[in-house]
């Protein structure tokens, strides 16, 4: 078994699409109209047949509540991997991304 799609709730699909593609560097794999929203799935440019990240609209009250509470508590909903976290942090800072903490050595994690 493998994960093929995972969702992240977003307030504005178009704004999220721009951020995840232009700033983070993901590639758009699907962009299909579905009623008033879209099925927008992104993939890593390094693994375009890998797990898809779905930009899910948070228009449902439960989704909006989940998103607000997880953010308020500082709980990560999704984690991304990079080869050099400091380099990527510096790159994203230059693109205006705001972080709650700088990269921190945790120890014991390989």
């Amino acid at each position: 078994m493998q994960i093929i799609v995972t969702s992240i709730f977003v307030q504005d699909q178009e704004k999220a699409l721009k951020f995840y593609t232009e700033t983070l560097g993901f590639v758009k794999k699907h962009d299909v109209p579905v009623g008033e929203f879209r099925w927008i799935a992104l993939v890593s440019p390094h693994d375009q047949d890998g797990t898809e990240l779905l930009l899910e609209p948070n228009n449902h009250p439960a989704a909006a509540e989940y998103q607000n509470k997880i953010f308020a508590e500082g709980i990560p909903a999704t984690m991304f991997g990079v080869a050099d976290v400091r380099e990527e942090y510096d790159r994203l800072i230059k693109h205006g991304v705001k972080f709650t903490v700088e990269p921190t050595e945790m120890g014991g994690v390989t």
Side-chain angles (χ1 to χ4, degrees), residues 13-14 32-40 57 59-60:
Q13 284 186 300
E14 190 59 40
V32 180
V34 182
E36 66 180 289
F37 299 106
R38 294 152 55 191
W39 177 272
I40 303 173
N59 67 313
H60 189 281

Side-chain angles (χ1 to χ4, degrees), residues 37-80:
F37 299 106
R38 294 152 55 191
W39 177 272
I40 303 173
L42 310 175
V43 292
S44 166
H46 309 292
D47 187 8
Q48 294 190 26
D49 292 322
T51 304
E52 297 178 13
L53 179 64
L54 182 63
L55 301 180
E56 187 85 43
N58 72 347
N59 67 313
H60 189 281
E65 182 178 354
Y66 166 79
Q67 184 186 43
N68 289 331
K69 286 186 175 185
I70 206 97
F71 180 79
E73 294 293 325
I75 299 170
T78 303
M79 293 184 213
F80 303 110

Side-chain angles (χ1 to χ4, degrees), residues 2-109:
Q2 63 188 119
I3 298 170
I4 57 170
V5 176
T6 188
S7 298
I8 187 165
F9 291 109
V10 299
Q11 293 176 354
D12 180 323
Q13 284 186 300
E14 190 59 40
K15 185 177 176 182
L17 176 62
K18 183 176 180 171
F19 175 76
Y20 279 87
T21 56
E22 294 178 15
T23 303
L24 296 185
F26 286 94
V27 176
K28 182 169 57 173
K29 185 165 184 176
H30 305 288
D31 189 348
V32 180
V34 182
E36 66 180 289
F37 299 106
R38 294 152 55 191
W39 177 272
I40 303 173
L42 310 175
V43 292
S44 166
H46 309 292
D47 187 8
Q48 294 190 26
D49 292 322
T51 304
E52 297 178 13
L53 179 64
L54 182 63
L55 301 180
E56 187 85 43
N58 72 347
N59 67 313
H60 189 281
E65 182 178 354
Y66 166 79
Q67 184 186 43
N68 289 331
K69 286 186 175 185
I70 206 97
F71 180 79
E73 294 293 325
I75 299 170
T78 303
M79 293 184 213
F80 303 110
V82 295
D84 184 329
V85 70
R86 176 53 70 178
E87 181 180 302
E88 187 66 11
Y89 173 82
D90 292 341
R91 183 186 78 79
L92 292 173
I93 289 288
K94 289 176 186 170
H95 277 78
V97 175
K98 294 183 171 99
F99 291 87
T100 55
V101 297
E102 289 189 33
T104 305
E105 193 68 39
M106 299 303 285
V109 178

